[in-house]
Amino acid sequence: MKHLTCIYFIFFAFVCAQAQKFSVHAGGGIINYGGDLQKKNFTFQQAGAAFTAGASYNFANNFSVNLSLSEGKVQADDAKNGFPKRNLNFKSNIFETALTVEADYKNIWTEASFTPYVFSGIALFHFNPYTYTTAGEKVFLQPLGTEGQGLPEYPGTKLYSPWNFAIPFGLGAKYALSNNIAIGAEISLRYLFTDYLDDVSSLKYADTTLLKNTRGAIATELSYRGDEILGSNYTIKKQRGNPKKKDVYYACLIKFTYMIGESAPFKLYKY
């Protein structure tokens, strides 16, 4: 994260030096996750807070390139999503840096005070799913290999990396409040290249005896948690995850934009 922060501030310094076609933005809203531990692909249930800040360069009248840093928290719990007997859950902080290209229908500083827009690009993000044992101990799941990743008995698998790439895309609308200030609302989705945002992917459970002997008792406990529910008949022979259902995360944000330098004289242009 330190390297990403340095890159961002170098870019920000360049923005301040150039001004005119540059703007900075900041905002907040909610972030959520879709995957094996969510019954619905898109829902506000168990959504977490999200924050973003960045800078943009308007390289053409209706096009700009944006560099942003974002942070949020995603989570899901079988007990709240219709799978109480499986009893899996996770939480994860997400730190993301994204480079995107935005296409505006109108330029809000020179053509219209209001405009919709679309964007897409590439992002690098960090995640690290964790949960709590029955004793209340916080445990990060990635090092445990809860699905047997990396063991000789499961060839072709390896421990997933907490750093991964994503393709962000979305749409929004913004409104100029003055010569230099605008407000907007944005909805965005991340297509991920990992299915382990929630630490769940494999169709079957790993052998619990093998996990205990190689990764320890906690790895076994947190891989299969159906036995924690009194009267549950969810055994290790039943389905754990769905490798065909890839994870995603998405955000709904309110953003404020400040244009550096002088804009055209502000008018309440008609859309």
Side-chain angles (χ1 to χ4, degrees), residues 29-256:
I30 59 172
I31 186 173
N32 212 348
Y33 134 94
D36 294 297
L37 272 63
Q38 280 282 21
K39 192 173 183 179
K40 298 179 180 179
N41 288 329
F42 300 98
T43 176
F44 291 114
Q45 186 180 29
Q46 299 186 78
F51 305 93
T52 187
S56 303
Y57 173 63
N58 184 219
F59 64 88
N61 187 48
N62 292 42
F63 294 89
S64 59
V65 59
N66 307 318
L67 180 65
S68 62
L69 288 177
S70 303
E71 180 181 356
K73 187 174 185 177
V74 295
Q75 58 187 333
D77 189 334
D78 275 347
K80 300 178 181 179
N81 289 322
F83 305 104
K85 293 183 178 181
R86 186 176 59 176
N87 195 38
L88 295 176
N89 64 82
F90 87 104
K91 296 181 180 181
S92 179
N93 293 313
I94 290 180
F95 302 94
E96 175 196 273
T97 182
L99 184 67
T100 59
V101 174
E102 178 184 308
D104 299 336
Y105 182 68
K106 296 284 186 180
N107 187 312
I108 60 170
W109 310 116
T110 60
E111 296 180 309
S113 59
F114 171 83
T115 188
Y117 63 88
V118 295
F119 67 91
S120 186
I122 189 167
L124 175 67
F125 72 99
H126 179 271
F127 69 106
N128 199 7
Y130 63 90
T131 188
Y132 292 88
T133 67
T134 52
E137 178 187 358
K138 181 179 179 179
V139 179
F140 287 96
L141 295 165
Q142 186 268 348
L144 300 180
T146 55
E147 295 187 343
Q149 303 100 314
L151 296 178
E153 291 78 4
Y154 298 94
T157 66
K158 60 181 181 179
L159 292 175
Y160 58 87
S161 172
W163 289 95
N164 220 287
F165 287 100
I167 298 178
F169 57 93
L171 53 86
K174 50 190 174 182
Y175 178 77
L177 299 173
S178 70
N179 287 357
N180 300 83
I181 299 174
I183 186 173
E186 180 180 288
I187 301 174
S188 60
L189 176 72
R190 271 68 175 171
Y191 175 83
L192 306 184
F193 296 94
T194 178
D195 193 33
Y196 280 105
L197 186 62
D198 50 15
D199 193 62
V200 179
S201 179
S202 180
L203 193 65
K204 297 180 180 180
Y205 284 91
D207 183 276
T208 52
T209 302
L210 175 64
L211 269 185
K212 186 175 183 179
N213 292 336
T214 56
R215 300 276 169 80
I218 290 183
T220 305
E221 175 187 341
L222 300 182
S223 173
Y224 168 65
R225 309 194 70 170
D227 56 352
E228 295 176 13
I229 305 299
L230 185 64
S232 172
N233 60 353
Y234 205 91
T235 69
I236 59 172
K237 294 182 179 181
K238 294 194 175 183
Q239 183 174 342
R240 186 174 200 266
N242 183 359
K244 294 182 179 180
K245 184 180 181 181
K246 301 303 181 183
D247 297 338
V248 298
Y249 64 89
Y250 47 95
C252 300
L253 302 171
I254 300 296
K255 296 170 67 174
F256 290 90

